[in-house]
Amino acid sequence: MPWKKLPSCILLLLALAYPVQSKLSSQKDSFQEDLLISPLKDGKLLAHFQFTTLVDAGGLDEKDGRYAHYGLFPKSIGQIIDHHRVQELHLTFTQGRWQYEDWGYPVAQSAGTGVELWAWMKLDDSIESNWRSLTNTLSGLFCASLNFIDGTLTSQPELSFRPEGAKNSYNHDERMREGAEVRYGILPHENVCTENLTPWIKLLPCKSKAGIATLLNAHKLYDTNYHSMAIHIRPVCQDANCTSQSLELVQTVTSVLDPVRESGRRDWSFSSLFGREIQSACPVSDRSAVTVLLPSEQHEYQLTPSYDTIIERTAAQVERPIAVYNLSQHTEPLNLQMTWNEGEFSYPLQTSKPRVYAHKYMTGYGHERGGVTVNIFNNMNESQDISYFDSVPWFLKLYLHTLEVSVLGKDHIDQNDIVQDLYYQPAVDRSRPQVLEMKLRLPPDSVTAVSIEFDKVFLKYTEHRPDANRGFDVGPAVITTLLPAGDDNLASTVLELVTNRDTPTRQNIKVYTEILLASLPTPDFSMPYNVITLTCTVIALFFGSIFNLLIRGFSVTEDEVDEKKHENKDEISNSS
Amino acid sequence: MRLPSLLRRLFLFLFSLAFLAFLTPAANADGPKDAEVVQEFFSNGSGHTNNWAVLVCTSRFWFNYRHIANTLSMYRTVKRLGIPDSNIILMLGDDVACNPRNKFPATVFNNAARLLDLYGENVEVDYRGYEVTVENFIRMLTGRVSADTPRSKRLLSDDRSNILVYMTGHGGNEFLKFQDAEEISAFDLADAFRQMWEKRRYNEMLFMIDTCQANTMYSKIMSPNILATGSSELGESSYSHHPDWDIGVAVIDSYTYYNLEFLENIDMSSTKTLKDLFDSYDAEKIKSTPGIRSDLFRRPLDQVRVTDFFGSVQRVELTPTRFITT
């Protein structure tokens, strides 16, 4: 009996499955995984993981503009950006400091130490509550204290942090501003550890079970000189006219490893760096490749196994050959190995300075006032336009009249020739930070110093952190500039080259300075107890004895009962 | 005009007939027999349907490594015994795993042999660092959190939840320090549990605390169905078990160490009871006198399985007939 029904069952199933199938296939999800390895000049090794998920924005539900179906794009992220009306989102977890002087510029948009979040959000009445809710939701998702990015740490940059989506590129600066606003917040003292990596890996379609992500071993990743983990979500154009858009999720892990530390040699392999090998490509990936940026001299090293393709100086800017391993063609596990033909690595005597970089430091002494100075270096023979951004917490009260922009050693250059534009937002105590933004034109081959002074606010007893004597961390200053491809941003040029993206003629580069530690005047936290103890002592000794003296009656005891009674009566009337 | 009204009556009649036909078996099924079955199912044992764990390390700073190791050991245990990450609220006062002082990055060990990395590859810390405050702890327990609080930071328990509350840190007579900056008192804790009871946020609770003078912390609890145990009596200190000289600090506390020694031999099918666990306590070995308070608890301890609190073992009973809920 049941067998008779079977064909009709299949028919029914097919009929049910058909529309679902077509719905899913109409949505073009794509996933690419890339690993870029580049030996750095000081013997370190840059390993940059990049996972790109693209989803057709045409998959938007007509009714409410929300994604109804999720394929490779993680649902948890999709729901968050839908619910909070986020256009573009950048969240970075970083530990260590990127050494611009030794390593050039980082591959992807790297951020300052700590956790940085900035998002372009639809401008409506609920944008503030959306931002607050977004920080809380992301804090739950990524196990980080992002909920501490409240009003006191949130700023709205006017000149920096422009949208990076293709629709709203730098060239369309005005158009993108319509109906959206940016929110920026950074937690410089936020730790980054396995609990942040765990949810990050869960966003990948293959998790860390297959593909390049198998190399993401927390034990090795957090044993590095620098690591930065990020998610970037932005809308991108599918064609030149931008008639249709996609939503792009780029997940990156940038780490700087030090093979020299263990052996004194620069040799490395996947198993020595990560304790693992790549077993296979992620099956759902459209592209799965390991790219090695090779040294320019071929006799210096051996690379095993041999590469699938090599790109020799295709782009005018890239002087070094690039080896590419296409993982989808590999049947055996890949344990890439590079051996250098040298005994011990000798550190280079001179660093190769990038074109624009900056350092930030505190000036002054004591707990009452201080200052902060940012030195911006321009090593080019031409002047360079940059945007300067600094968000200073309210408890360091900046004085705008002390702002000074000068070029070291060139006193004849007027401040007004350097500062093209200035935006300053004063702080409101306990509710918003100061924001100082400038458009600067750096003179050729110069060091420009931006300095400003501040007063340190005496915080309330309860406003201090549990480890108050450590001080408060102050976020980095951010320098944004457009630079053409060059030796110092080689890695990002290569990555764009191998991923077949349109390489823009000029790259938007962000330089993050050091974060600072401001020590504020800390009260003696045992003071309340001292006060209580002292007050009790005063009451017991002084007030007690006086009170005692005042109310106690003194009398000479005598044998006669009558006299005593008489005296007592007198005394009572006196004392009352 | 007449025809539609006739039709309507007919429909009404048919509908009421169908309605009656629908109700009749349901009413039958809801008879005393099935209610008894359900009652028996829940009364047999603890009556819980889900498990939650709140694991709190209140200490900051590197030298309190052992408190984080204590808490993470408990985290591994309850996870191993079946409580998923979504039902575990883990609070860690500091990050020792990726602390620059840690010689073994991204690891936390609870034994000098360093055989088991407690941090592992998959860990979800819900409250960390500065978020570990008395206010956040009490808000989380009592459910009085802001609307923006994500699910991972909420205790979404109900009146069928068995909750394990494990706390460790530095404490004293009737208080436990949070991050060297504030304290929670035994009264605060008792009040929070009382509020949880009033809000029907738990079915049964096991409160476990490893700190100096720990037994004073549960002395003020007055809500029903709470079983409490602590590491040391009033006036007694709780001691660490042993140091790891490569890490440079003590790695676990004595009381937690001997609890784990027992729990390591438990799996999800174990029938060991809490009485077995409490009987295994040896004041000589622990170097303090562990306390047990069971006067608020309604079940005899030799009938309370360890997995009622430390694990999530679902009781499934297959009935021969279909059970219809109303």
Side-chain angles (χ1 to χ4, degrees):
Chain A
M1 271 291 272
W3 293 108
K4 276 189 180 174
K5 282 186 181 173
L6 200 65
S8 61
C9 276
I10 292 173
L11 255 170
L12 188 73
L13 269 174
L14 278 175
L16 279 173
Y18 179 71
V20 179
Q21 183 82 41
S22 64
K23 183 96 187 174
L24 286 177
S25 59
S26 73
Q27 213 177 322
K28 281 170 262 158
D29 282 14
S30 75
F31 175 70
Q32 300 187 344
E33 47 176 14
D34 277 283
L35 167 61
L36 175 79
I37 293 181
S38 169
L40 298 169
K41 283 170 185 150
D42 64 345
K44 309 273 190 305
L45 190 74
L46 168 76
H48 176 79
F49 298 79
Q50 184 163 313
F51 306 91
T52 312
T53 313
L54 264 177
V55 64
D56 201 340
L60 284 172
D61 199 327
E62 288 297 321
K63 259 189 265 172
D64 52 359
R66 293 178 176 207
Y67 289 95
H69 302 284
Y70 289 91
L72 300 174
F73 196 84
K75 191 177 181 181
S76 51
I77 291 291
Q79 284 180 330
I80 287 173
I81 60 169
D82 271 346
H83 185 259
H84 299 102
R85 299 169 62 79
V86 176
Q87 282 191 346
E88 202 182 306
L89 183 136
H90 302 268
L91 173 63
T92 319
F93 300 80
T94 309
Q95 286 290 288
R97 193 178 120 69
W98 182 269
Q99 306 288 341
Y100 291 91
E101 278 121 306
D102 294 328
W103 306 338
Y105 294 114
V107 179
Q109 314 98 328
S110 165
T113 310
V115 177
E116 183 198 63
L117 171 69
W118 60 283
W120 277 87
M121 305 173 77
K122 291 253 170 62
L123 183 62
D124 53 21
D125 296 339
S126 55
I127 186 167
E128 294 306 329
S129 65
N130 274 345
W131 169 251
R132 203 171 49 240
S133 174
L134 176 72
T135 55
N136 273 285
T137 313
L138 289 173
S139 121
L141 186 65
F142 287 103
C143 294
S145 312
L146 279 160
N147 47 323
F148 283 133
I149 302 182
D150 55 0
T152 61
L153 287 178
T154 302
S155 47
Q156 294 177 42
E158 292 284 324
L159 306 173
S160 307
F161 298 100
R162 301 298 88 192
E164 300 198 338
K167 169 193 161 198
N168 330 315
S169 72
Y170 279 76
N171 310 328
H172 307 92
D173 206 20
E174 290 309 313
R175 209 177 76 186
M176 61 73 198
R177 285 214 189 185
E178 289 164 15
E181 264 191 14
V182 67
R183 292 289 182 279
Y184 171 88
I186 186 162
L187 295 170
H189 183 41
E190 186 70 8
N191 285 312
V192 183
C193 206
T194 316
E195 68 260 32
N196 306 116
L197 184 69
T198 305
W200 186 95
I201 284 178
K202 284 177 185 166
L203 301 177
L204 295 171
C206 291
K207 314 286 183 273
S208 59
K209 306 278 182 218
I212 287 165
T214 30
L215 297 182
L216 292 171
N217 178 352
H219 298 122
K220 297 285 185 180
L221 199 63
Y222 294 119
D223 192 12
T224 53
N225 288 41
Y226 171 91
H227 56 86
S228 178
M229 179 188 94
I231 63 164
H232 303 282
I233 301 160
R234 57 177 198 170
V236 291
C237 290
Q238 287 181 340
D239 48 45
N241 297 328
C242 211
T243 47
S244 55
Q245 282 183 23
S246 304
L247 192 64
E248 184 191 60
L249 167 70
V250 181
Q251 289 180 254
T252 62
V253 169
T254 309
S255 58
V256 176
L257 304 122
D258 190 2
V260 183
R261 188 177 70 180
E262 295 289 330
S263 58
R265 288 173 58 83
R266 283 190 280 175
D267 303 347
W268 57 267
S269 67
F270 279 168
S271 50
S272 76
L273 294 177
F274 305 107
R276 290 172 191 172
E277 299 171 357
I278 303 178
Q279 298 297 326
S280 64
C282 173
V284 294
S285 62
D286 297 337
R287 175 194 150 75
S288 178
V290 178
T291 308
V292 187
L293 189 54
L294 297 169
S296 41
E297 300 299 323
Q298 198 144 26
H299 59 83
E300 286 178 340
Y301 63 91
Q302 278 112 37
L303 193 65
T304 49
S306 64
Y307 35 78
D308 302 328
T309 47
I310 188 153
I311 305 169
E312 293 264 17
R313 298 178 192 186
T314 40
Q317 311 92 348
V318 185
E319 291 285 302
R320 286 154 65 180
I322 309 161
V324 181
Y325 295 81
N326 197 344
L327 287 177
S328 47
Q329 291 167 6
H330 281 252
T331 46
E332 283 174 16
L334 178 67
N335 182 16
L336 203 56
Q337 202 166 352
M338 190 171 180
T339 321
W340 291 76
N341 300 333
E342 62 184 10
E344 286 217 337
F345 173 65
S346 53
Y347 286 93
L349 295 173
Q350 276 195 326
T351 54
S352 56
K353 294 198 161 80
R355 285 166 286 182
V356 176
Y357 63 100
H359 287 296
K360 185 180 182 181
Y361 53 92
M362 289 271 190
T363 56
Y365 53 87
H367 282 315
E368 201 179 348
R369 58 182 70 89
V372 61
T373 301
V374 180
N375 286 344
I376 309 165
F377 296 78
N378 177 14
N379 288 334
M380 289 182 287
N381 290 326
E382 57 211 55
S383 58
Q384 176 71 22
D385 284 336
I386 62 145
S387 307
Y388 169 92
F389 169 83
D390 205 352
S391 171
V392 181
W394 63 269
F395 46 77
L396 301 180
K397 253 186 206 323
L398 295 184
Y399 290 111
L400 194 59
H401 75 272
T402 61
L403 176 69
E404 204 178 305
V405 181
S406 59
V407 179
L408 298 184
K410 291 174 188 169
D411 296 333
H412 61 276
I413 300 178
D414 186 43
Q415 180 164 329
N416 295 331
D417 294 340
I418 308 165
V419 183
Q420 308 288 309
D421 197 357
L422 186 137
Y423 167 77
Y424 178 73
Q425 174 196 275
V428 175
D429 277 3
R430 296 176 178 85
S431 63
R432 77 170 191 204
Q434 290 133 122
V435 177
L436 176 62
E437 281 192 281
M438 286 184 283
K439 272 199 190 305
L440 302 177
R441 178 159 293 162
L442 306 178
D445 204 14
S446 65
V447 183
T448 309
V450 177
S451 66
I452 193 162
E453 284 169 23
F454 55 75
D455 272 359
K456 291 176 178 177
V457 172
F458 193 80
L459 290 181
K460 286 178 188 165
Y461 166 63
T462 48
E463 282 170 341
H464 284 275
R465 290 282 164 84
D467 50 352
N469 290 302
R470 187 183 173 276
F472 283 83
D473 294 80
V474 180
V478 186
I479 314 285
T480 315
T481 185
L482 281 171
L483 284 177
D487 193 37
D488 48 15
N489 58 352
L490 198 59
S492 46
T493 313
V494 169
L495 196 71
E496 271 164 1
L497 196 74
V498 294
T499 52
N500 299 322
R501 287 217 212 153
D502 305 332
T503 315
T505 45
R506 297 209 293 170
Q507 283 181 336
N508 167 43
I509 281 167
K510 283 202 196 72
V511 176
Y512 287 78
T513 67
E514 297 86 349
I515 56 166
L516 300 178
L517 193 61
S519 72
L520 295 186
T522 42
D524 175 4
F525 288 99
S526 60
M527 206 60 197
Y529 306 103
N530 296 349
V531 170
I532 292 166
T533 322
L534 196 70
T535 316
C536 290
T537 317
V538 166
I539 288 172
L541 289 178
F542 184 73
F543 179 77
S545 53
I546 295 290
F547 190 71
N548 207 355
L549 275 173
L550 280 173
I551 63 160
R552 178 167 289 183
F554 293 94
S555 59
V556 184
T557 46
E558 284 179 43
D559 293 339
E560 288 87 7
V561 181
D562 290 356
E563 261 189 51
K564 195 181 175 184
K565 271 183 185 170
H566 183 70
E567 268 179 27
N568 270 354
K569 266 180 197 167
D570 269 2
E571 203 174 81
I572 287 163
S573 60
N574 280 344
S575 64
S576 67
Chain B
M1 280 301 273
R2 282 191 58 138
L3 195 70
S5 72
L6 198 77
L7 265 175
R8 206 181 298 161
R9 270 185 207 175
L10 193 75
F11 268 122
L12 203 73
F13 176 71
L14 278 174
F15 179 75
S16 42
L17 213 78
F19 187 69
L20 273 173
F22 174 76
L23 269 186
T24 324
N28 276 348
D30 200 30
K33 195 175 158 240
D34 279 7
E36 261 170 40
V37 170
V38 174
Q39 200 60 41
E40 197 188 294
F41 179 79
F42 283 118
S43 64
N44 191 7
S46 70
H48 72 283
T49 57
N50 60 82
N51 280 84
W52 282 80
V54 177
L55 313 171
V56 189
C57 159
T58 64
S59 295
R60 174 171 282 274
F61 305 121
W62 171 249
F63 54 82
N64 291 320
Y65 183 99
R66 66 180 185 280
H67 292 153
I68 287 172
N70 286 346
T71 317
L72 285 169
S73 311
M74 284 308 202
Y75 172 75
R76 285 283 157 217
T77 306
V78 296
K79 228 170 135 173
R80 180 172 59 82
L81 293 175
I83 305 185
D85 257 323
S86 56
N87 283 26
I88 303 174
I89 311 279
L90 181 61
M91 295 177 115
L92 296 181
D94 204 349
D95 172 40
V96 295
C98 290
N99 196 307
R101 288 186 180 91
N102 193 348
K103 198 181 166 213
F104 309 97
T107 62
V108 177
F109 293 107
N110 64 359
N111 199 304
R114 291 199 294 274
L115 295 173
L116 175 69
D117 169 27
L118 299 172
Y119 229 56
E121 293 280 305
N122 193 341
V123 58
E124 283 181 23
V125 185
D126 300 306
Y127 287 82
R128 63 175 197 173
Y130 297 136
E131 286 177 285
V132 182
T133 60
V134 175
E135 185 187 337
N136 280 350
F137 175 65
I138 291 180
R139 280 187 181 281
M140 182 267 297
L141 284 184
T142 54
R144 297 167 69 172
V145 289
S146 94
D148 293 327
T149 308
R151 282 182 74 95
S152 65
K153 293 184 178 182
R154 288 171 189 246
L155 181 69
L156 296 165
S157 57
D158 55 30
D159 59 342
R160 289 273 180 217
S161 305
N162 270 18
I163 305 181
L164 165 74
V165 180
Y166 174 85
M167 301 185 87
T168 180
H170 290 284
N173 187 5
E174 293 177 0
F175 72 86
L176 175 69
K177 283 206 293 182
F178 269 67
Q179 308 222 12
D180 275 3
E182 51 180 354
E183 310 69 50
I184 187 170
S185 79
F187 294 91
D188 298 333
L189 196 72
D191 288 346
F193 288 165
R194 184 76 203 171
Q195 206 177 107
M196 287 174 78
W197 175 250
E198 281 163 0
K199 288 179 170 173
R200 298 162 71 86
R201 284 172 69 78
Y202 71 85
N203 170 51
E204 286 177 333
M205 193 189 294
L206 173 62
F207 177 69
M208 187 176 233
I209 182 160
D210 189 349
T211 175
C212 295
Q213 315 193 40
N215 301 355
T216 58
M217 273 306 281
Y218 60 65
S219 58
K220 305 298 170 208
I221 298 173
M222 66 297 206
S223 318
N225 295 354
I226 296 183
L227 185 63
T229 173
S231 60
S232 52
E233 284 180 339
L234 172 65
E236 260 186 353
S237 291
S238 290
Y239 294 100
S240 65
H241 187 263
H242 68 273
D244 178 323
W245 294 117
D246 283 340
I247 294 171
V249 284
V251 289
I252 193 162
D253 279 323
S254 237
Y255 174 71
T256 306
Y257 180 88
Y258 288 105
N259 267 302
L260 288 174
E261 204 175 62
F262 181 87
L263 292 169
E264 278 304 302
N265 299 316
I266 301 285
D267 61 15
M268 284 174 81
S269 61
S270 163
T271 54
K272 285 270 170 60
T273 64
L274 283 183
K275 187 172 184 300
D276 299 327
L277 172 67
F278 295 152
D279 285 347
S280 75
Y281 290 171
D282 181 354
E284 282 285 302
K285 279 192 194 163
I286 295 176
K287 286 177 258 165
S288 60
T289 320
I292 295 136
R293 183 172 172 204
S294 56
D295 57 321
L296 299 165
F297 204 67
R298 64 185 155 81
R299 285 195 291 155
L301 293 186
D302 55 2
Q303 285 173 26
V304 185
R305 286 189 184 174
V306 172
T307 49
D308 282 356
F309 289 103
F310 289 92
S312 184
V313 180
Q314 301 299 327
R315 259 189 85 220
V316 179
E317 250 175 53
L318 295 174
T319 49
T321 52
R322 191 168 140 228
F323 176 66
I324 300 160
T325 50
T326 47

